[in-house]
Amino acid sequence: MYFIKPTDPNPVTPAKAVMLALLCTVWVATGLVGHDPWKPEDAYSFGVVYSMLQSGNWLIPTLAGEPFMANPPLYYWTAALTAKLLSPWLALHDGARLASGFYSALTLLFIGLAGRKLYGENRGWAASIILIGCIGMLVRSHEMITDLTLLTGCAMMLYGFAHSQERALRAGIWTGLGCGIGFLSKGFISPLLFVLIASLLPALFRNWRCRNYLLSVGLSTLVALPFLTIWPYLLHQQAPKLFAEWAWSLNIGGWLSFIQKGPDTEAFYYLKSLPWLAWPALPLAVWAVWRERKRLAQRDDLQLPLVAFVVMLVVLSLSTNVKEAYALPMLLPVALLATASLSMLKRGAANALDWFGLMTFALLAILLWWGWAGLLLDNHAKVTSLMKEYQPGFVPVFQNPAVAIAFASTVLWLVLVWRVGRSMRRAVVNWASGITLIWILAMTLWLPWLDSGKSYRGMVASLSAAMPAEANCVARNASLGDAQRAMLHYFGNIITRRDPARFCELRLIQGEKISRPLMDESRYEKIWEGSRKTDNHEQYRLYKEIKK
């Protein structure tokens, strides 16, 4: 790198490194086990994993007996392996969700390595800590979603690009691996990001026009090639129609259709949501770029994350689908730019962010403890009544291990924020520890309450009990979603089918909570009706054909 990195006046000692590593570990591990798959992504992703384990077909992703070609299978492979290996000790869905922890940990590792390379030895931890402090990372990093594998691939690519001016071999290997892993996670989005970032860096900044950079890009292409070709080739050989559906209908064709129609209001979705998802890293990143705007031509440590962010923002905004989880890759360059700002922040700004975080998380922790105690003691407060109405039938129970973990975490947080030394890192460390504390309290004290309303287990059990044993099959209407199909398969071994010829005797209908019948009552008799406890929109009805 041509820019001389400033010396950190507060180096990370071994003791501090252990503390920060423990913080990252707790953040990653909390919430991965102990609850059923939740709608929507958690449920349907596990449905694919469960079908893979049941059928033994690891080449073609399936969901409840039907091909599910939305994404390539790398995440599903990993989740199926962790579920199978840990099945003697954990429920299948808990074992599968550990794959999310694995990829989240890899993401923190590589964004930390990239931060250390770009900004100095003591900035690696800061990059990882800033990333876990981003609000958008908290829930999504603990769900079963393929976006986490893409996130890991993007972190590897950024780490590889950070070395591309000096160490072509290392850069080529990690950038190529990242591109390939991203492709096997979400398809063509990863190679597109690689091509655009690799092209724009030398096009915009002459620091990147060097022999090592060109060698690293060429080597990256060779390393990524097996990932880009082997699975698509095997898929094409075994199921040409499914290959065409994946490659054309769900990828290239969708992009071409979008180009023809042009952007719509959803193209600005990420601009509107990023201030929330990337808080508090985004204002720090903006400050770093603004402060160094006149020296960007010399600051190649800022050029890489800035170009990567702009490329990701444009490409993802112009994609055929926009969703909060799809914004996760943009948090990586934002975290790197925020890391660069730590040496530029004035003490007053750092202290303001520090006190805002402390007050915010202290208040949230008090509310979580108070609300939990109100439910447990049934104090008849208005808030308690509202929470009981939201989860009808939920009976709170004092769980010793969960309460002990929550109490110990609260005490440790108080000690941590008291003991963290005065430095520019204090604000981001306190923010990350505060958001981790809130997550721990939610996943210990409040997990039974949350799982009671989000799980499909009780509903499927009720449906299974009402199903006649002699029925030949169960048809479904078009409204029955992928998450519901997955949970019917997992909890009740119920596989619903498309049935245009009306061959099946049973028909499962998903609709609104309305009183009018949804089937022809002269031909079908309603034998069951139900829903999840807290769902006021989804209502399920099971009909049986009346035999004449």
Side-chain angles (χ1 to χ4, degrees), residues 27 30 138 357-369 409-410 413 431-446 450:
W27 181 88
T30 302
L138 184 61
L358 289 177
M359 294 300 102
T360 299
F361 293 119
L363 178 61
L364 288 174
I366 291 171
L367 290 175
L368 287 172
W369 274 105
S409 300
T410 305
W413 178 74
W431 184 278
S433 63
I435 208 168
T436 303
L437 171 66
I438 298 306
W439 184 242
I440 292 173
L441 296 181
M443 293 294 105
T444 51
L445 301 178
W446 288 89
L450 292 169

Side-chain angles (χ1 to χ4, degrees), residues 59-60 69 229-247:
L59 179 65
I60 302 174
M69 304 307 300
T229 55
I230 294 177
W231 178 75
Y233 172 77
L234 294 175
L235 177 64
H236 182 269
Q237 290 296 106
Q238 183 167 329
K241 291 184 179 179
L242 293 179
F243 171 82
E245 177 187 349
W246 166 75

